[in-house]
Amino acid sequence: MPLVDDDSPQVRFPPPLIYFGCLLLGLWAGRTLEWPVLVGAWPQTLGWVLVGLGSVLIGAALGWFFSAGTNPEPWKRDNALVTKGFYRITRNPMYLGMAFASFGVALVFGSFGAMIGTVVAVLLVDRFVITREERHLAHVFGEDYAAYRKRVRRWI
């Protein structure tokens, strides 16, 4: 478990591990339960496009966090409110990128189990990570965050 700063959203489990764990459980469940597999060139192509798009979202969001001098880890203190780049379109481009990449991997493998795992990961991150982060950001950045929240949707 990472060291959790007192002045942080108090997230105790890394969101990338939530996505990765749910993806692996979904792949395992689909294989174990012998669920049908989606085959063909189009699912794999779309899957790779989603993996690429997800990677771009994550990488760009990390870059904006680092350039603002704040921590991307939700168990560390926030030093700045990042509202530029993809953050003008979605309040959570990193988590959206993780969702795209995870769903893309599910398509590449043609696994319905992994697709379900991705949906579960999105729900878990939305409920147990983002809600904590939003409460914390409202406390730390007050009216600036309230105005940002009114302008920009949580996901897309």
Side-chain angles (χ1 to χ4, degrees):
M1 178 171 79
L3 293 175
V4 178
D5 289 348
D6 289 336
D7 184 22
S8 76
Q10 299 294 305
V11 173
R12 300 188 184 277
F13 200 78
L17 292 182
I18 294 171
Y19 278 99
F20 187 67
C22 288
L23 181 67
L24 288 179
L25 282 172
L27 286 167
W28 173 81
R31 192 158 239 216
T32 301
L33 300 172
E34 298 180 3
W35 288 344
V37 176
L38 189 62
V39 294
W42 76 265
Q44 284 195 337
T45 302
L46 178 58
W48 285 116
V49 167
L50 288 174
V51 168
L53 177 60
S55 299
V56 166
L57 283 169
I58 294 165
L62 286 170
W64 291 311
F65 262 65
F66 294 138
S67 71
T70 195
N71 299 302
E73 300 96 338
W75 54 86
K76 292 191 176 178
R77 188 170 161 252
D78 289 306
N79 301 321
L81 179 63
V82 179
T83 60
K84 62 183 177 179
F86 291 127
Y87 284 95
R88 289 176 292 170
I89 302 165
T90 173
R91 294 195 311 259
N92 296 288
M94 278 189 252
Y95 300 144
L96 185 61
M98 290 176 206
F100 283 169
S102 181
F103 199 78
V105 170
L107 285 173
V108 167
F109 282 96
S111 171
F112 288 107
M115 290 176 201
I116 293 168
T118 298
V119 171
V120 169
V122 167
L123 294 173
L124 289 171
V125 166
D126 189 71
R127 172 69 174 96
F128 296 108
V129 176
I130 294 173
T131 54
R132 286 177 182 227
E133 288 179 339
E134 288 182 340
R135 199 169 34 246
H136 174 72
L137 292 170
H139 172 73
V140 172
F141 299 108
E143 285 302 314
D144 289 339
Y145 182 69
Y148 173 65
R149 192 172 173 176
K150 285 180 184 173
R151 281 194 317 274
V152 179
R153 296 173 61 107
R154 179 182 273 180
W155 288 97
I156 48 176

